[in-house]
Amino acid sequence: MTDALTSPAFGAAYALGSAFMWALTSLLVRRLGATHSMMTINAVRISASGLVLFALSFAGAARDEITAMSLTTFLLVGSSTVIAAGIGDSIFFECVRVLGLGRAMTLASSYPLLAAGFAAVFLGEPITLRAITGAVLTLLGLVLILGIHRERTDARRPAWGGVAAALLVAVLWALSAILMKPAMRDLSPLTAQGIRLPIVALFLWCTPWARNGLPA
């Protein structure tokens, strides 16, 4: 049973589940974004989930992991979450407002390709022929999806600022994944999230953009 839980197939299933949850989150945020500030929405959602995960992690073995955690691991976790959830997610939600959910998600979802390249350069992970083939097919899929989108809409010029911002999100998410990889050798996923989300929630509430979106 342990071997099955650590197999690549099980990891792929987790990744697909994560993609589904992220797509659902983006859809809900898109609807809320019509009447509320995206920065405030991001701060509220991360604060709420951070409290839940922090409580769950401390109900388990998180206390021992946190006590044994090195300063380097803490800095990696903190910087990773601020880059991804604090900055990257906030920009992404604005991209959803400008480009629409499908287009913004498609562009930002190129980040696994960037993460694979970063991992090869900085972590020494191998790039196989299968990985290169998958990357090329993914990029072709992106071109097809974006091309179809343009054909079905009017002839207005594309929002290149939104496209550039979505690609920046992909870079930030990829960089965050690379920073988290060494830290995950010392922390369980639940403990890592229990630490990450309160940090980014504090970061977001320190910004005036998140506070200004609160109701009077």
Side-chain angles (χ1 to χ4, degrees):
M1 182 65 179
T2 302
D3 293 338
L5 293 176
T6 58
S7 66
F10 205 80
Y14 267 126
L16 289 174
S18 175
F20 172 77
M21 294 298 181
W22 180 239
L24 182 60
T25 297
S26 301
L27 179 62
L28 295 173
V29 169
R30 170 68 190 277
R31 297 193 65 178
L32 290 170
T35 55
H36 297 81
S37 164
M38 288 295 189
M39 284 289 290
T40 305
I41 292 170
N42 198 27
V44 170
R45 76 180 187 93
I46 289 178
S47 298
S49 57
L51 289 174
V52 173
L53 285 175
F54 191 74
L56 288 175
S57 62
F58 262 79
R63 283 169 291 185
D64 296 334
E65 292 184 34
I66 293 175
T67 301
M69 181 175 55
S70 66
L71 178 60
T72 300
T73 298
F74 177 77
L75 291 176
L76 288 173
V77 170
S79 59
S80 169
T81 191
V82 169
I83 289 172
I87 302 174
D89 287 7
S90 298
I91 297 175
F92 172 74
F93 292 142
E94 283 297 329
C95 293
V96 169
R97 191 201 301 271
V98 174
L99 299 176
L101 177 58
R103 202 173 196 190
M105 178 66 76
T106 301
L107 286 168
S109 293
S110 61
Y111 85 92
L113 307 179
L114 299 175
F118 289 164
V121 174
F122 298 109
L123 301 179
E125 294 188 2
I127 297 181
T128 63
L129 179 60
R130 176 183 294 182
I132 294 174
T133 303
V136 171
L137 290 175
T138 302
L139 288 174
L140 289 175
L142 290 173
V143 172
L144 290 174
I145 291 172
L146 292 175
I148 291 172
H149 180 90
R150 284 195 296 270
E151 290 171 1
R152 291 181 178 177
T153 57
D154 56 30
R156 292 177 300 177
R157 294 179 60 187
W160 291 113
V163 171
L167 293 176
L168 174 60
V169 170
V171 173
L172 293 174
W173 286 351
L175 179 59
S176 172
I178 296 303
L179 291 174
M180 276 301 296
K181 180 67 181 292
M184 292 308 296
R185 301 190 187 105
D186 302 325
L187 300 173
S188 65
L190 186 60
T191 302
Q193 284 295 82
I195 297 171
R196 293 177 78 228
L197 295 185
I199 292 174
V200 75
L202 179 62
F203 168 80
L204 287 171
W205 287 122
C206 286
T207 65
W209 305 283
R211 297 194 304 272
N212 289 343
L214 291 173

